[in-house]
Amino acid sequence: MLKTNMNIKKNTLITFSILIISFIQVILSETKDNRIELSETRIVDTENGNLRLRAKPLLESDVIDNIPSGTRIVFIKSEDDQKEINGKIGRWNLVNYNDKIGWVFDAFLIKVFKIANERSDSEYNCHVNDVLTEKFGKIGKRKNLKANQKDSETEKYEERYNQNIYSLTTIYYGGGYTKIKFPNKKIEDIYGFFSSCDKDLAEVKFEPKNEVFKVEFEAESGYLKSYYFEFKNNITSVIFGGQT
């Protein structure tokens, strides 16, 4: 009887130990996968001119300062309700710009996500040429173009695929980017296409505003990569790339 009780206790302990190990493995797995975090940083992105920092979340409110495009500001909070201003849909965001607190319209902001470290494997970075060739079929060979050395370009080339898909890649010192045009393709379909081969992008919620979706990733090492999707004139254009 005593031996039987000891065996039961032993088996229970083994089972409990297995459960603990499994739980730790799950937690570690989730921690590894959950490697992306939305930062407080936002990047001002205006086509022309500056973004006005206002005292209140109103178009008629006093202007505190003008923020140049490309400037990084600190997000504090967002209003819940969406507004439409001059044809753009977005929300008013309270931000910090050079220690000045005010409101900006987030239709002109890019969210920045922190990633633990850059990844070079196919799970986290699209080998776009291979994926496009497999999905759509390539037309002809790569056409090399003259690089503009004044702009620090080291290489430039274009590639064409079936369904009138056109790709232009520019390589420069420290990075590079690619522009691709997808005629007659919806922006959500093209986002799905890219997110299927870039795990970082797949973990970001797809929230296009005004037929545009922009996102940037920052690694602890300083590595940057970005995606810009836009649907216009029945064409979805994508600009993506990275730099060290």
Short mmCIF file of all heavy atoms in Angstrom, two decimals, residues 7-37:
data_model
loop_
_atom_site.label_atom_id
_atom_site.label_comp_id
_atom_site.label_asym_id
_atom_site.label_seq_id
_atom_site.Cartn_x
_atom_site.Cartn_y
_atom_site.Cartn_z
N ASN A 7 4.37 5.57 -5.53
CA ASN A 7 4.34 5.60 -7.01
C ASN A 7 3.38 6.67 -7.51
O ASN A 7 3.65 7.36 -8.50
CB ASN A 7 3.93 4.23 -7.55
CG ASN A 7 5.02 3.19 -7.41
OD1 ASN A 7 6.21 3.55 -7.34
ND2 ASN A 7 4.65 1.92 -7.35
N ILE A 8 2.24 6.78 -6.83
CA ILE A 8 1.25 7.79 -7.22
C ILE A 8 1.85 9.20 -7.07
O ILE A 8 1.72 10.06 -7.95
CB ILE A 8 -0.04 7.65 -6.38
CG1 ILE A 8 -0.76 6.36 -6.75
CG2 ILE A 8 -0.96 8.85 -6.62
CD1 ILE A 8 -1.97 6.06 -5.87
N LYS A 9 2.51 9.42 -5.93
CA LYS A 9 3.14 10.72 -5.69
C LYS A 9 4.24 11.00 -6.72
O LYS A 9 4.38 12.12 -7.20
CB LYS A 9 3.73 10.76 -4.28
CG LYS A 9 2.68 10.81 -3.17
CD LYS A 9 3.35 10.89 -1.81
CE LYS A 9 2.30 10.94 -0.70
NZ LYS A 9 2.95 11.02 0.63
N LYS A 10 5.01 9.96 -7.05
CA LYS A 10 6.09 10.10 -8.01
C LYS A 10 5.53 10.47 -9.38
O LYS A 10 6.01 11.37 -10.06
CB LYS A 10 6.89 8.81 -8.09
CG LYS A 10 8.09 8.90 -9.02
CD LYS A 10 8.88 7.60 -9.01
CE LYS A 10 10.07 7.66 -9.96
NZ LYS A 10 10.82 6.39 -9.96
N ASN A 11 4.47 9.74 -9.79
CA ASN A 11 3.86 10.01 -11.10
C ASN A 11 3.23 11.41 -11.14
O ASN A 11 3.29 12.11 -12.15
CB ASN A 11 2.80 8.96 -11.42
CG ASN A 11 3.40 7.59 -11.67
OD1 ASN A 11 4.57 7.49 -12.07
ND2 ASN A 11 2.63 6.53 -11.45
N THR A 12 2.63 11.80 -10.03
CA THR A 12 2.03 13.14 -9.96
C THR A 12 3.09 14.21 -10.08
O THR A 12 2.90 15.22 -10.78
CB THR A 12 1.27 13.31 -8.62
OG1 THR A 12 0.27 12.29 -8.52
CG2 THR A 12 0.62 14.68 -8.55
N LEU A 13 4.22 13.99 -9.41
CA LEU A 13 5.31 14.97 -9.47
C LEU A 13 5.86 15.07 -10.88
O LEU A 13 6.14 16.17 -11.37
CB LEU A 13 6.42 14.54 -8.49
CG LEU A 13 7.64 15.47 -8.41
CD1 LEU A 13 7.22 16.86 -7.96
CD2 LEU A 13 8.69 14.90 -7.46
N ILE A 14 6.01 13.94 -11.56
CA ILE A 14 6.53 13.93 -12.92
C ILE A 14 5.57 14.68 -13.85
O ILE A 14 5.97 15.51 -14.68
CB ILE A 14 6.74 12.49 -13.42
CG1 ILE A 14 7.89 11.83 -12.65
CG2 ILE A 14 7.03 12.47 -14.92
CD1 ILE A 14 8.06 10.36 -12.93
N THR A 15 4.27 14.38 -13.68
CA THR A 15 3.25 15.05 -14.51
C THR A 15 3.26 16.55 -14.29
O THR A 15 3.20 17.35 -15.23
CB THR A 15 1.85 14.49 -14.20
OG1 THR A 15 1.85 13.08 -14.42
CG2 THR A 15 0.80 15.15 -15.07
N PHE A 16 3.36 16.95 -13.01
CA PHE A 16 3.38 18.37 -12.68
C PHE A 16 4.62 19.05 -13.26
O PHE A 16 4.55 20.17 -13.77
CB PHE A 16 3.35 18.53 -11.15
CG PHE A 16 3.33 19.95 -10.69
CD1 PHE A 16 2.17 20.71 -10.79
CD2 PHE A 16 4.48 20.54 -10.17
CE1 PHE A 16 2.15 22.03 -10.39
CE2 PHE A 16 4.45 21.86 -9.75
CZ PHE A 16 3.29 22.61 -9.86
N SER A 17 5.75 18.35 -13.20
CA SER A 17 6.99 18.90 -13.75
C SER A 17 6.89 19.11 -15.25
O SER A 17 7.34 20.12 -15.80
CB SER A 17 8.17 17.97 -13.43
OG SER A 17 8.33 17.83 -12.03
N ILE A 18 6.26 18.14 -15.93
CA ILE A 18 6.08 18.25 -17.38
C ILE A 18 5.20 19.45 -17.72
O ILE A 18 5.47 20.19 -18.67
CB ILE A 18 5.47 16.95 -17.95
CG1 ILE A 18 6.49 15.80 -17.82
CG2 ILE A 18 5.04 17.13 -19.40
CD1 ILE A 18 5.92 14.45 -18.21
N LEU A 19 4.15 19.64 -16.92
CA LEU A 19 3.24 20.77 -17.15
C LEU A 19 3.97 22.10 -16.97
O LEU A 19 3.77 23.05 -17.73
CB LEU A 19 2.05 20.69 -16.20
CG LEU A 19 1.02 19.59 -16.49
CD1 LEU A 19 -0.01 19.53 -15.37
CD2 LEU A 19 0.33 19.84 -17.83
N ILE A 20 4.81 22.17 -15.92
CA ILE A 20 5.57 23.39 -15.67
C ILE A 20 6.52 23.69 -16.83
O ILE A 20 6.62 24.83 -17.31
CB ILE A 20 6.38 23.28 -14.35
CG1 ILE A 20 5.41 23.31 -13.15
CG2 ILE A 20 7.39 24.41 -14.23
CD1 ILE A 20 4.67 24.62 -13.00
N ILE A 21 7.22 22.67 -17.30
CA ILE A 21 8.15 22.84 -18.42
C ILE A 21 7.41 23.29 -19.67
O ILE A 21 7.86 24.18 -20.39
CB ILE A 21 8.92 21.52 -18.68
CG1 ILE A 21 9.86 21.22 -17.50
CG2 ILE A 21 9.71 21.62 -19.98
CD1 ILE A 21 10.49 19.85 -17.55
N SER A 22 6.26 22.66 -19.92
CA SER A 22 5.46 23.03 -21.10
C SER A 22 5.00 24.48 -21.01
O SER A 22 5.02 25.21 -21.99
CB SER A 22 4.25 22.10 -21.22
OG SER A 22 4.65 20.76 -21.39
N PHE A 23 4.59 24.88 -19.80
CA PHE A 23 4.12 26.25 -19.60
C PHE A 23 5.25 27.25 -19.85
O PHE A 23 5.06 28.28 -20.51
CB PHE A 23 3.60 26.40 -18.17
CG PHE A 23 3.14 27.80 -17.84
CD1 PHE A 23 1.94 28.27 -18.32
CD2 PHE A 23 3.94 28.61 -17.05
CE1 PHE A 23 1.52 29.54 -18.01
CE2 PHE A 23 3.52 29.90 -16.74
CZ PHE A 23 2.30 30.36 -17.23
N ILE A 24 6.44 26.93 -19.35
CA ILE A 24 7.60 27.81 -19.57
C ILE A 24 7.93 27.90 -21.05
O ILE A 24 8.23 28.99 -21.57
CB ILE A 24 8.82 27.30 -18.77
CG1 ILE A 24 8.57 27.45 -17.27
CG2 ILE A 24 10.08 28.06 -19.17
CD1 ILE A 24 9.63 26.83 -16.40
N GLN A 25 7.85 26.78 -21.76
CA GLN A 25 8.13 26.78 -23.19
C GLN A 25 7.15 27.64 -23.95
O GLN A 25 7.51 28.35 -24.88
CB GLN A 25 8.11 25.34 -23.73
CG GLN A 25 9.31 24.51 -23.29
CD GLN A 25 9.20 23.06 -23.74
OE1 GLN A 25 8.11 22.56 -24.02
NE2 GLN A 25 10.34 22.39 -23.83
N VAL A 26 5.88 27.58 -23.54
CA VAL A 26 4.85 28.41 -24.19
C VAL A 26 5.14 29.88 -23.96
O VAL A 26 5.05 30.70 -24.87
CB VAL A 26 3.44 28.05 -23.67
CG1 VAL A 26 2.43 29.10 -24.12
CG2 VAL A 26 3.03 26.67 -24.15
N ILE A 27 5.48 30.23 -22.70
CA ILE A 27 5.77 31.62 -22.37
C ILE A 27 6.97 32.13 -23.17
O ILE A 27 6.96 33.22 -23.74
CB ILE A 27 6.05 31.79 -20.85
CG1 ILE A 27 4.77 31.50 -20.06
CG2 ILE A 27 6.57 33.18 -20.56
CD1 ILE A 27 3.64 32.47 -20.37
N LEU A 28 8.02 31.32 -23.23
CA LEU A 28 9.21 31.71 -23.99
C LEU A 28 8.89 31.85 -25.46
O LEU A 28 9.38 32.74 -26.14
CB LEU A 28 10.33 30.68 -23.79
CG LEU A 28 10.96 30.64 -22.40
CD1 LEU A 28 11.96 29.50 -22.30
CD2 LEU A 28 11.63 31.98 -22.08
N SER A 29 8.06 30.95 -25.97
CA SER A 29 7.66 31.01 -27.38
C SER A 29 6.88 32.27 -27.67
O SER A 29 7.12 32.95 -28.67
CB SER A 29 6.83 29.78 -27.75
OG SER A 29 6.34 29.87 -29.07
N GLU A 30 5.94 32.60 -26.76
CA GLU A 30 5.14 33.81 -26.96
C GLU A 30 6.01 35.06 -26.86
O GLU A 30 5.82 36.02 -27.59
CB GLU A 30 4.02 33.87 -25.94
CG GLU A 30 2.93 32.83 -26.18
CD GLU A 30 1.83 32.90 -25.13
OE1 GLU A 30 2.02 33.62 -24.14
OE2 GLU A 30 0.81 32.23 -25.31
N THR A 31 6.99 35.02 -25.95
CA THR A 31 7.88 36.16 -25.81
C THR A 31 8.72 36.34 -27.06
O THR A 31 8.95 37.45 -27.53
CB THR A 31 8.82 35.96 -24.59
OG1 THR A 31 8.02 35.79 -23.43
CG2 THR A 31 9.73 37.16 -24.42
N LYS A 32 9.14 35.24 -27.65
CA LYS A 32 9.94 35.30 -28.86
C LYS A 32 9.13 35.84 -30.01
O LYS A 32 9.59 36.65 -30.80
CB LYS A 32 10.49 33.90 -29.18
CG LYS A 32 11.37 33.87 -30.43
CD LYS A 32 11.86 32.47 -30.69
CE LYS A 32 12.73 32.43 -31.95
NZ LYS A 32 13.20 31.07 -32.23
N ASP A 33 7.86 35.38 -30.13
CA ASP A 33 7.03 35.82 -31.23
C ASP A 33 6.55 37.25 -31.03
O ASP A 33 6.43 38.02 -31.97
CB ASP A 33 5.82 34.89 -31.39
CG ASP A 33 6.22 33.50 -31.89
OD1 ASP A 33 7.31 33.41 -32.49
OD2 ASP A 33 5.47 32.54 -31.65
N ASN A 34 6.28 37.60 -29.76
CA ASN A 34 5.78 38.93 -29.46
C ASN A 34 6.96 39.89 -29.31
O ASN A 34 7.18 40.47 -28.26
CB ASN A 34 4.95 38.90 -28.19
CG ASN A 34 4.23 40.21 -27.96
OD1 ASN A 34 4.02 40.97 -28.89
ND2 ASN A 34 3.87 40.46 -26.71
N ARG A 35 7.71 40.06 -30.39
CA ARG A 35 8.93 40.84 -30.36
C ARG A 35 8.73 42.24 -30.92
O ARG A 35 9.67 42.99 -31.10
CB ARG A 35 10.02 40.12 -31.15
CG ARG A 35 9.56 39.69 -32.56
CD ARG A 35 10.58 38.84 -33.26
NE ARG A 35 11.74 39.59 -33.62
CZ ARG A 35 11.80 40.37 -34.70
NH1 ARG A 35 10.76 40.51 -35.48
NH2 ARG A 35 12.90 41.03 -34.99
N ILE A 36 7.49 42.59 -31.23
CA ILE A 36 7.18 43.89 -31.79
C ILE A 36 6.36 44.69 -30.81
O ILE A 36 5.42 44.18 -30.21
CB ILE A 36 6.43 43.75 -33.13
CG1 ILE A 36 7.37 43.21 -34.20
CG2 ILE A 36 5.85 45.07 -33.58
CD1 ILE A 36 6.76 43.11 -35.55
N GLU A 37 6.72 45.95 -30.64
CA GLU A 37 6.01 46.81 -29.71
C GLU A 37 5.84 48.19 -30.35
O GLU A 37 6.79 48.76 -30.89
CB GLU A 37 6.81 46.94 -28.41
CG GLU A 37 6.20 47.87 -27.39
CD GLU A 37 7.09 48.06 -26.18
OE1 GLU A 37 8.18 47.45 -26.14
OE2 GLU A 37 6.71 48.83 -25.29
#
